[in-house]
Amino acid sequence: MAVPLLDLKRQNVALEPELKAAFERVLRSGHYILGPELVALEKDVAQFLGVKHALGVSSGTDALLLALMALDIGPGDEVLVPAFTFFATAGCVARVGATPVFVDVCPACFNLDPADAAKKITPRTKALIPVHLFGHAADMDALLALAAKHKLALIEDAAQSLGARHSGRPVGSLGLCGAFSFFPTKNLGALGDAGLLTTNDDAFADRATILRVHGMKPKYYHQLVGANFRLDALQAALLRVKFPHYADYTRARQANAAFYTQRLSQTPGIAPARPEDCHAHPNHHAAQQGRDPAPAGNRPSSHKITLPAACPQHEHIWNQYTLRVHGPGRRDALLAHLQSRQIGAEIYYPVTLDQQPCFQTNSRGGETCTHSHALAAEVLSIPIFPELTPAERDEVAAAIESFAKL
Ligand SMILES: Cc1ncc(COP(=O)(O)O)c(C=O)c1O
């Protein structure tokens, strides 16, 4: 049986009558940019996240760019970003003329390592952008302490993590601001590009609101040089149809993840990441002492595949279920094995950002990002979307089991 990595149609077509009604409502309103549909969405999301301000914007990328512009970050400034993430996190830093400084990530939860971040702070560092990757919160306690100590703005890249929690608190409500994406493949996906910027800081929210519309306030009077970061009323209206179902989508993803972990852990050579392998775990350093000299997070050579695991104080929302496949060439062999059975899988991300051609001259820090480099050679994401059927996830698990036995 063929199993897609993702099938957006299943979720959206199930809501066809409501989505069509939302379209007709917008069509007949004559109001197509920003407006009451967006204000209503912003209010709902702000309430869900427990933040004072939520600002709908054109994309997750633009939410990050707008945050950096609102902070007046530019040439001569440095911004700490993970080496292992989607391009936009660092691309926005370069777009405002600042220097991305690449920080290594935790090999267990894939998120920014606060200890490596601390080593890379200089008098030029103005901000840090932890990413809550694949639906799992970064080590926010340590990162917030680091930001406070060095007076850095903390911008959460929560593009993949709407509703993920750190010690009970939603991501995007913890730092100065949070950037969310509603790209169609995200856990809450629009039918086009859309994003959101959150904050509890009134002055920051004011600046961002003005910058969203070319720095204009009042109309045709420009206090700042902004850009067009507006969100369409139509995307807002469609998102409002989907938002009441979001808790169900999340539960389905969590059930799929629990199924894979429970089922695959029974195969010799496959095991979940140990909680103490996560840099954020209180016993991490003690647990590493006396281990074999393999890099932290790696297992003995008999160990073939590490399954992802949530750190104890986190609620994971599983934007991706990402395996680590150990041994030279083994990840690509598993990918080929799945492809030969028509099972969708994808490498997020095959090249770390410090190794991208565009960052060879205007960045630093990448040379010490050893866990990130190892992950780029080992990671593989498998189908986890909410509408995956029990038969489909069974097929995926069986294919991985057969690979592990080879
Ligand atoms: C970690 C991360 N940051 C930023 C973005 C940018 O979001 P968008 O695609 O909505 O611009 C994405 C989405 O692809 C992402 O995964």
Side-chain angles (χ1 to χ4, degrees):
M1 180 201 309
V3 184
L5 177 64
L6 193 62
D7 182 355
L8 301 176
K9 290 190 300 297
R10 293 187 200 179
Q11 186 169 94
N12 293 330
V13 171
L15 296 172
E16 193 170 331
E18 295 95 318
L19 292 169
K20 280 183 172 163
F23 171 78
E24 283 166 17
R25 194 170 69 232
V26 174
L27 175 72
R28 295 197 179 120
S29 75
H31 201 139
Y32 305 129
I33 303 275
L34 302 174
E37 293 285 352
L38 180 58
V39 171
L41 176 72
E42 290 172 338
K43 197 164 150 259
D44 288 350
V45 180
Q47 194 175 12
F48 174 68
L49 295 173
V51 291
K52 269 174 93 174
H53 307 278
L55 221 68
V57 293
S58 27
S59 67
T61 304
D62 285 347
L64 289 168
L65 188 58
L66 180 56
L68 291 165
M69 288 171 70
L71 287 163
D72 213 10
I73 287 175
D77 296 334
E78 293 183 346
V79 179
L80 302 170
V81 293
F84 186 71
T85 174
F86 178 65
F87 177 78
T89 317
C92 293
V93 175
R95 280 179 67 190
V96 296
T99 303
V101 176
F102 292 111
V103 177
D104 206 6
V105 297
C106 168
C109 78
F110 310 134
N111 283 319
L112 198 103
D113 176 8
D116 194 44
K119 285 185 207 147
K120 290 174 177 166
I121 292 173
T122 72
R124 292 171 168 233
T125 313
K126 292 290 174 339
L128 80 161
I129 313 183
V131 178
H132 306 299
L133 201 71
F134 303 150
H136 188 284
D139 182 4
M140 289 303 289
D141 290 338
L143 293 168
L144 285 165
L146 191 69
K149 183 172 168 197
H150 296 276
K151 298 192 169 39
L152 308 179
L154 195 155
I155 301 168
E156 296 177 68
D157 183 340
Q160 303 182 2
S161 288
L162 179 72
R165 286 170 182 270
H166 176 276
S167 303
R169 293 188 300 156
V171 302
S173 71
L174 305 166
L176 170 69
C177 61
F180 291 88
S181 168
F182 301 124
F183 184 75
T185 63
K186 296 294 190 280
N187 288 26
L188 182 64
L191 276 71
D193 275 311
L196 190 98
L197 183 64
T198 54
T199 186
N200 285 314
D201 185 307
D202 296 339
F204 177 87
D206 271 356
R207 266 179 79 82
T209 305
I210 296 169
L211 287 165
R212 178 171 68 170
V213 288
H214 296 289
M216 180 166 76
K217 190 184 178 185
K219 209 170 183 184
Y220 303 123
Y221 289 81
H222 297 262
Q223 311 178 18
L224 303 164
V225 178
N228 174 2
F229 295 125
R230 300 176 304 234
L231 181 59
D232 299 350
L234 182 58
Q235 292 307 334
L238 300 176
L239 283 165
R240 286 182 68 205
V241 170
K242 297 185 72 177
F243 193 52
H245 301 274
Y246 190 60
D248 291 337
Y249 300 157
T250 300
R251 272 193 289 276
R253 285 176 180 272
Q254 289 170 335
N256 289 338
F259 166 82
Y260 283 138
T261 301
Q262 200 274 337
R263 164 95 177 250
L264 293 171
S265 300
Q266 291 165 25
T267 303
I270 305 183
R274 292 169 290 212
E276 66 274 19
D277 283 342
C278 180
H279 285 175
H281 194 278
N283 294 337
H284 172 71
H285 294 292
Q288 294 309 310
Q289 281 163 17
R291 284 253 170 95
D292 59 42
N298 279 357
R299 300 298 182 91
S301 52
S302 61
H303 186 78
K304 293 177 179 167
I305 297 177
T306 300
L307 306 172
C311 297
Q313 74 275 34
H314 296 274
E315 181 174 352
H316 203 319
I317 58 144
W318 301 103
N319 180 244
Q320 300 297 340
Y321 189 93
T322 303
L323 313 172
R324 288 185 66 186
V325 191
H326 305 285
R330 297 300 291 159
R331 186 272 310 276
D332 294 343
L334 175 57
L335 177 59
H337 181 81
L338 295 176
Q339 282 169 343
S340 73
R341 290 162 181 244
Q342 293 180 283
I343 293 173
E346 187 75 65
I347 301 168
Y348 303 115
Y349 300 93
V351 183
T352 58
L353 295 187
D354 58 294
Q355 294 179 331
Q356 298 288 353
C358 67
F359 288 132
Q360 292 317 297
T361 52
N362 56 350
S363 72
R364 64 177 189 85
E367 57 292 341
T368 58
C369 294
T370 48
H371 292 307
S372 302
H373 299 154
L375 288 174
E378 290 183 351
V379 287
L380 190 64
S381 296
I382 60 173
I384 185 82
F385 62 98
E387 298 75 24
L388 196 67
T389 66
E392 286 175 326
R393 65 187 195 187
D394 217 58
E395 185 89 3
V396 177
I400 296 169
E401 285 161 354
S402 67
F403 176 82
K405 286 178 191 147
L406 289 176

